[in-house]
Amino acid sequence: MFGRDSPVRPSIREQIAAKRAEFQNSPIGKRQAAASAAASASASAASGYSSPAPRRTGNASTFAVPGGSELADKTKEGEIKRSIRSGKLDLCSLSLDIIPPEVYTTLLGIPSEELSSPPIKSIPSSDIPKGSLIDPNVTPPRGLGKDEEKELVFGSKVKRKEEWIEPEELTAFRIAENNLRSIEREIGMFGGLERLDLSRNQLKELPDSVADLLKLTSLDLSSNSFTSLPRPVLVLPSLQVLDISNNAIHNISFSDPIGPSEDGLSYGIGFFTTSFERQAQLKALKPIFPVLRSFNISHNKLTVPGLIELSKPKNTNGNVIKLEAMLVLNLENNNLQGTLDYKEIGLTPDKMPFLTSLILSRNTNLRGTNGSLAKTAKIELSGCNLRQGTPQPESQTTTTEENQSIPQDDDASTAVNTSSPKESTKSIPNPNLTLVYRTLPAATFDSEPLPIDFDIYLPPNSTPSKAGHPLVIWFHGGGLLQGNKENLPPHFRRLPSHPFIDSKGEEENVIVISPNYRLAPQTPILDILDDVTHLITYIKTKLNDRLKKEDKDYSIDVNRICLSGGSAGGYLALIAGLNVPANLNEEDIGGYRGLKDKNGITCLAPFYPITDLTDKFWATETDPVPWMGTSVPHSDAKPHLNPKSPPICSTPSGGPRSILYPYMLQHGLFPGLLFQSQKSVGYGLDAFRPSPLSLSVPHRLDLANQKNLKQPPIYFLYGTIDDKVQPMQSTLQSLEKSDCHLTVKKVEGGDHAFDEDPEVECEDFKAWLGETLI
């Protein structure tokens, strides 16, 4: 393509053809042909021989051959030499900054001086013998060939016997895991290339000549620095697999695609087409991704609006966006937020009729999906914070932003409800913002950093407060084993819109935060409590500044914070907010004194909480648990019990891990799962392992009561028929002895998590909050 059809001399391919004919008729060519035939016959007669396996040593490989000898070579020279015969070139992991010029000069026959980036030739001073005519302190002339260099150094012409071999057409080229920052335009001359692997480099763009690779079926651009889809790949007619994961792409754009050149068409379609025909083809509008079957764009920065172009019939240039062949679409680990509408982003059966796999996993802010896919499609949603579990395409229902019906949660803190969800007549707001308050490094070799986030619900149509709005923090339930920040009862979601009246008679609103935190048994209990500490620190020191950056005209009053939560979340609120005597040793309190800075923690509001980790309720095997009706098989729970698995901070309601809490009760495993991977605290003879007693609420209250230690006001709510956690008698006895303003609300006939009914308002709690926090 480049340097072809010159009026001065034949094209590169014509030169190659002439060389091949001359070589085949030469004595050397005939000898090589005979030797090759003899080698083939010998290989066919041999028995028990298999291809040698490579043995890696640093950046090179050695290939063992029969007889104990070794043939060198994972080197660029050796790989290029092999590709002449095989048509496959592997230059992976050689710390290359550029594609070696030898690739083009050897496999395409392009003279080095005609390359777009010709190599710079110099003579190292260490290679110049004494007495040479060359002064080592003088920069040698550039552009000299190897023979010219030797002639200049040694003063005599070196005769070289030239041997040329017609290379096989290159069909596969792998140059992954190097340091490439750019690709030369000559790459487009490999018109027979079918597979190209450029992954794990530092590429930001591709040359226009990639559009000439008309036979390319597989292209790997993963783990580079692309910020958009490369334009030269959009209309490749044979491209079936495109991997552009682990880049920095914010949106999918099909604008301004680059089509093949006339030279590229002459190779891809045939040399017998006329120039006029090729020009006509160049002007014709080409479809976008006409046969693409697998599109991996995971681990980027895509948002839902960034996917809109998938739904359009044409791009701005008039090219048809043709995605009918799509089988697998991988959108894992992007920045997808809110509800994903399949029709809005073009995933409907008419747009992608053969879609078999849609991967949305680990989009931690994805709250729901809407619409239908092809009947054969399967959806992967693990690691998303969905409010409706993981529905199949045919069972998905329409949701709206302001009014969404939520099924009864069957997570750990609730009974399984197999009936249809109650249609709510009241609004159930979605969060205004989701923020990450802590990011933990990867725990294992094959895992990734873990961001831990929270949802924030702001007052609608509220006048911003100069002093800041009071804050209610709700920790979700799940036995510290499962659950997510979406498990926020509807009445808490509506709380920011409730008008409170302050002491001056003025109206005031609260802000509500619902956080995620790491879960046991992969995370020990003290590390879970450490997440609570980091959350409060983030809220006090960084949240107001972050709200300004997000253009939210609200601020938090860090001196008015209520810690609340349900079930295990109620435990976190109590254990973090209760005061313990300062003179107690660390072992008495399990190495945890509650929040390091309790300033601003105005009150505590546990709902149906876990409190006493030593209660016989947790040691009693209940098989099956009453609300399940059937036993949970060990095979279902086993994948979630390995403490060495990477930590997680969110599990979908109704997802596979939702059986872990009833399985734990079935075998009496609580609180052992919380302490299973807990390391000792302290050093030497002072080291100890925290005990369930030391981290139980009644025990800590009793220690505080012995010192007459004052506690913050507490609102304690529970139901009389709750059989999902331990009885409350011992906890209430310790609370009643405490020096605090205690309000106990006993709901007759109330079960665990009864307030997840959308119609429940908990008016008593609002009244108490108005008196205590406002």
Side-chain angles (χ1 to χ4, degrees):
M1 285 166 224
F2 303 99
R4 292 185 67 254
D5 301 326
S6 171
V8 179
R9 66 181 185 188
S11 69
I12 293 297
R13 291 192 177 89
E14 290 170 339
Q15 294 178 50
I16 291 174
K19 285 183 179 180
R20 177 169 55 186
E22 179 183 351
F23 172 76
Q24 288 174 346
N25 293 321
S26 69
I28 296 176
K30 292 178 179 178
R31 285 200 305 271
Q32 285 194 359
S36 177
S40 299
S42 175
S44 300
S47 61
Y49 177 76
S50 59
S51 299
R55 183 173 69 250
R56 284 292 181 100
T57 307
N59 286 332
S61 291
T62 341
F63 289 80
V65 296
S69 62
E70 291 185 343
L71 176 64
D73 71 271
K74 179 62 176 177
T75 63
K76 65 180 181 181
E77 293 81 7
E79 293 295 334
I80 292 172
K81 183 178 179 181
R82 266 196 295 276
S83 70
I84 292 174
R85 293 294 189 192
S86 68
K88 298 177 177 61
L89 178 58
D90 185 348
L91 298 178
C92 295
S93 307
L94 293 178
S95 301
L96 300 173
D97 295 320
I98 61 171
I99 295 179
E102 295 87 342
V103 172
Y104 307 120
T105 58
T106 303
L107 301 182
L108 292 173
I110 304 176
S112 59
E113 62 271 15
E114 292 188 11
L115 295 175
S116 57
S117 300
I120 298 175
K121 298 182 179 180
S122 61
I123 304 174
S125 59
S126 59
D127 292 344
I128 301 175
K130 294 180 180 180
S132 170
L133 300 177
I134 296 296
D135 184 352
N137 297 318
V138 176
T139 302
R142 295 184 176 181
L144 296 177
K146 198 169 186 179
D147 292 344
E148 287 84 358
E149 290 178 5
K150 291 183 179 180
E151 182 181 1
L152 185 61
V153 173
F154 298 105
S156 62
K157 180 87 173 171
V158 178
K159 294 184 179 181
R160 180 172 62 90
K161 182 188 292 185
E162 292 190 3
E163 293 185 6
W164 182 84
I165 298 176
E166 163 71 0
E168 289 289 333
E169 187 171 47
L170 197 65
T171 60
F173 186 11
R174 299 182 64 235
I175 191 167
E177 203 168 342
N178 284 287
N179 303 313
L180 305 184
R181 293 179 178 272
S182 62
I183 302 294
E184 295 75 19
R185 67 183 185 182
E186 284 80 10
I187 192 73
M189 292 192 68
F190 291 110
L193 204 59
E194 297 176 1
R195 295 178 298 280
L196 178 59
D197 184 355
L198 297 169
S199 61
R200 300 185 298 283
N201 281 288
Q202 302 173 37
L203 299 173
K204 295 183 179 179
E205 58 184 3
L206 295 179
D208 293 354
S209 61
V210 168
D212 289 336
L213 301 178
L214 302 182
K215 293 187 178 180
L216 195 66
T217 61
S218 176
L219 177 60
D220 191 344
L221 300 174
S222 60
S223 301
N224 278 283
S225 301
F226 291 97
T227 57
S228 61
L229 294 180
R231 295 187 298 149
V233 310
L234 297 179
V235 294
L236 288 175
S238 304
L239 188 63
Q240 298 183 31
V241 177
L242 175 60
D243 187 344
I244 195 167
S245 59
N246 289 282
N247 280 278
I249 299 175
H250 289 78
N251 61 77
I252 293 177
S253 174
F254 298 136
S255 301
D256 303 317
I258 296 174
S261 66
E262 183 180 352
D263 225 6
L265 287 170
S266 70
Y267 181 85
I269 297 176
F271 289 103
F272 296 105
T273 57
T274 66
S275 177
F276 177 81
E277 290 172 326
R278 294 194 293 270
Q279 288 293 335
Q281 289 175 326
L282 282 175
K283 293 179 180 179
L285 292 175
K286 303 293 183 181
I288 302 292
F289 290 151
V291 296
L292 191 66
R293 299 161 64 88
S294 176
F295 189 15
N296 186 351
I297 196 166
S298 62
H299 294 81
N300 278 278
K301 299 181 179 180
L302 291 169
T303 60
V304 173
L307 299 173
I308 296 300
E309 196 141 344
L310 289 172
S311 66
K312 296 180 179 179
K314 295 183 179 181
N315 66 4
T316 54
N317 306 88
N319 299 77
V320 175
I321 300 175
K322 189 177 181 181
L323 303 174
E324 285 88 346
M326 191 75 70
L327 295 178
V328 178
L329 179 59
N330 190 342
L331 298 171
E332 179 182 2
N333 207 335
N334 276 280
N335 293 334
L336 304 183
Q337 299 184 11
T339 300
L340 185 69
D341 189 291
Y342 297 143
K343 184 177 181 180
E344 182 181 359
I345 63 170
L347 304 185
T348 51
D350 59 326
K351 189 74 174 180
M352 297 184 186
F354 304 110
L355 188 67
T356 59
S357 179
L358 174 62
I359 304 171
L360 300 172
S361 305
R362 302 189 68 182
N363 283 281
T364 56
N365 293 327
L366 187 62
R367 312 205 190 299
T369 55
N370 196 7
S372 60
L373 303 172
K375 291 183 178 181
T376 56
K378 294 183 179 180
I379 313 172
E380 293 185 23
L381 292 163
S382 60
C384 299
N385 289 330
L386 301 187
R387 297 170 62 182
Q388 292 184 317
T390 55
Q392 294 298 319
E394 58 271 17
S395 66
Q396 289 167 346
T397 56
T398 302
T399 61
T400 63
E401 187 69 18
E402 295 298 329
N403 193 347
Q404 181 178 0
S405 176
I406 301 180
Q408 185 75 20
D409 186 5
D410 66 349
D411 212 340
S413 60
T414 64
V416 173
N417 186 353
T418 57
S419 61
S420 300
K422 182 188 296 184
E423 187 68 27
S424 175
T425 59
K426 298 181 179 180
S427 66
I428 305 176
N430 285 321
N432 300 91
L433 198 63
T434 299
L435 301 174
V436 173
Y437 69 88
R438 186 180 193 187
T439 301
L440 293 156
T444 63
F445 177 78
D446 57 351
S447 65
E448 296 184 3
L450 178 68
I452 310 178
D453 51 4
F454 64 84
D455 288 338
I456 183 166
Y457 297 78
L458 299 172
N461 305 319
S462 173
T463 302
S465 172
K466 293 182 180 179
H469 292 274
L471 175 66
V472 177
I473 302 174
W474 169 274
F475 297 99
H476 69 77
L480 304 181
L481 302 170
Q482 58 196 61
N484 61 70
K485 56 187 174 59
E486 292 295 325
N487 299 140
L488 178 65
H491 69 95
F492 270 96
R493 291 172 177 261
R494 294 190 287 263
L495 197 58
S497 62
H498 178 77
F500 291 93
I501 305 300
D502 64 13
S503 58
K504 298 179 181 179
E506 297 178 354
E507 186 175 300
E508 190 167 19
N509 298 84
V510 301
I511 290 175
V512 174
I513 281 177
S514 178
N516 278 323
Y517 50 85
R518 284 175 292 171
L519 301 170
Q522 287 74 30
T523 302
I525 187 167
L526 290 186
D527 287 356
I528 297 173
L529 296 173
D530 190 52
D531 288 345
V532 177
T533 300
H534 274 78
L535 170 71
I536 303 301
T537 301
Y538 180 92
I539 290 171
K540 289 185 175 182
T541 61
K542 297 181 180 180
L543 181 54
N544 284 335
D545 289 338
R546 183 61 188 273
L547 289 174
K548 289 180 181 178
K549 291 181 180 179
E550 298 290 340
D551 295 326
K552 304 296 183 183
D553 196 14
Y554 294 93
S555 62
I556 303 291
D557 183 353
V558 297
N559 294 312
R560 292 188 293 169
I561 298 176
C562 173
L563 298 184
S564 185
S567 192
Y571 170 81
L572 293 178
L574 285 169
I575 205 77
L578 288 174
N579 295 313
V580 295
N583 60 349
L584 290 177
N585 62 49
E586 290 295 304
E587 189 169 1
D588 288 338
I589 53 174
Y592 181 71
R593 296 183 178 274
L595 294 175
K596 296 177 182 178
D597 180 11
K598 292 189 177 68
N599 292 327
I601 306 302
T602 305
C603 53
L604 310 177
F607 281 45
Y608 34 85
I610 291 174
T611 57
D612 190 352
L613 305 184
T614 64
D615 194 285
K616 64 179 182 179
F617 172 86
W618 304 113
T620 302
E621 295 184 8
T622 308
D623 188 5
V625 293
W627 67 89
M628 288 287 289
T630 58
S631 298
V632 177
H634 177 69
S635 58
D636 290 353
K638 185 178 179 180
H640 313 297
L641 293 172
N642 185 1
K644 295 183 180 180
S645 297
I648 58 174
C649 64
S650 175
T651 65
S653 299
R657 195 170 169 122
S658 292
I659 51 84
L660 194 53
Y661 190 86
Y663 178 83
M664 172 272 297
L665 292 177
Q666 182 176 304
H667 296 283
L669 300 176
F670 197 80
L673 293 177
L674 306 183
F675 294 82
Q676 183 175 356
S677 57
Q678 179 62 61
K679 296 179 181 179
S680 297
V681 177
Y683 302 94
L685 296 176
D686 295 328
F688 64 91
R689 289 196 71 212
S691 67
L693 176 65
S694 64
L695 291 173
S696 289
V697 171
H699 171 72
R700 296 166 78 91
L701 283 171
D702 292 342
L703 292 175
N705 293 341
Q706 293 173 11
K707 301 293 182 180
N708 297 319
L709 192 62
K710 190 173 181 61
Q711 302 291 357
I714 297 175
Y715 180 90
F716 193 98
L717 179 145
Y718 70 103
T720 57
I721 64 170
D722 187 353
D723 60 351
K724 316 302 185 299
V725 295
Q726 82 292 305
M728 300 298 178
Q729 284 80 1
S730 63
T731 303
L732 291 174
Q733 291 174 2
S734 297
L735 282 171
E736 290 168 356
K737 297 176 183 178
S738 298
D739 183 7
C740 73
H741 186 277
L742 175 65
T743 301
V744 177
K745 176 64 175 178
K746 182 169 65 173
V747 181
E748 293 294 337
D751 201 350
H752 201 68
F754 70 91
D755 60 332
E756 291 189 357
D757 184 334
E759 301 300 321
V760 172
E761 283 298 340
C762 292
E763 296 292 350
D764 288 345
F765 170 63
K766 292 179 183 176
W768 175 85
L769 200 63
E771 297 172 358
T772 310
L773 186 65
I774 307 304

